[in-house]
Amino acid sequence: MARYRFCSFYFAAGQLWKSLDFLRKTTVLAARGQRRFENADGSIRMTKDWQEATNSGDAERAGSLLYAGADINALDRHGQTALMSAAHKGYAEVVRLLARRGANLNHAAKYRLTATMLAVIADHPDVVCVLVDAGADLTLRGSPNTAPIYDKTALEMAVQMKRQQCAEILQIAEAKQKPCS
């Protein structure tokens, strides 16, 4: 009986230590103004403040949240990063900020679309320029099972969708020149 009490004491102490460690981590994140949630695949879920700042094009607020510890590559419920959302909406300043701070330029979400492809689809040549200058991979292809993308690169999409300015930028970039500098 004494041995059982001894073991249960250490088990309870271990559980207490784990809960205190969780509270410590939660307190640190709460002090930064955010909570950390994980998706089923282990990726970090985007916080509401971070999503609102980047989706509204507020580069100053996004910078403040990054300074406070926001995860730059956190995913929204569709598996997209803040960079992808800002690129699709045409917020060049937010895209520039995220690219400079080290956001994943080549993350592909649903239908294997990247931020560059989303900028082409929405016809935002200024955003395409920022992404190309930051070093986005232009050889990535969309999903082979999705219309009208059908396994196309950003350049092929731009040509097919008649996004003339985007296509010109991407053609120059593929020729290994700096199109926007």
Side-chain angles (χ1 to χ4, degrees):
M1 187 67 171
R3 180 178 286 172
Y4 174 74
R5 282 189 205 154
F6 182 73
C7 290
S8 64
F9 169 78
Y10 277 103
F11 176 77
Q15 295 295 75
L16 178 64
W17 180 255
K18 287 179 186 175
S19 65
L20 288 175
D21 190 45
F22 172 77
L23 288 173
R24 181 187 60 80
K25 288 178 184 173
T26 305
T27 305
V28 168
L29 290 170
R32 292 180 178 170
Q34 62 182 355
R35 282 180 259 148
R36 185 178 179 113
F37 297 106
E38 290 188 4
N39 294 318
D41 64 355
S43 60
I44 304 302
R45 193 178 327 158
M46 193 179 292
T47 63
K48 185 177 179 182
D49 288 343
W50 178 240
Q51 190 168 14
E52 287 174 359
T54 56
N55 285 350
S56 66
D58 190 348
E60 186 176 325
R61 185 170 168 214
S64 297
L65 289 168
L66 281 173
Y67 182 76
D71 186 343
I72 199 166
N73 292 314
L75 304 179
D76 67 8
R77 62 189 174 116
H78 303 291
Q80 294 186 344
T81 63
L83 177 74
M84 295 173 77
S85 178
H88 189 251
K89 292 181 179 185
Y91 298 133
E93 286 305 312
V94 174
V95 171
R96 187 173 287 111
L97 169 75
L98 296 174
R100 285 183 183 158
R101 294 283 185 96
N104 182 355
L105 302 174
N106 302 316
H107 175 77
K110 192 173 183 180
Y111 307 120
R112 293 193 340 216
L113 295 175
T114 63
T116 308
M117 293 174 189
L118 291 171
V120 166
I121 289 168
D123 198 17
H124 296 298
D126 52 337
V127 174
V128 173
C129 264
V130 171
L131 291 167
V132 166
D133 285 346
D137 186 353
L138 303 179
T139 63
L140 298 175
R141 295 183 167 276
S143 175
N145 303 324
T146 308
I149 301 157
Y150 292 126
D151 197 35
K152 293 188 177 8
T153 64
L155 174 59
E156 293 166 344
M157 284 182 202
V159 170
Q160 178 187 352
M161 299 174 88
K162 297 178 177 43
R163 308 288 196 240
Q164 198 61 36
Q165 289 179 311
C166 293
E168 289 172 6
I169 293 165
L170 292 166
Q171 285 170 341
I172 293 168
E174 283 191 357
K176 305 293 184 220
Q177 300 172 0
K178 288 283 188 180
C180 305
S181 298

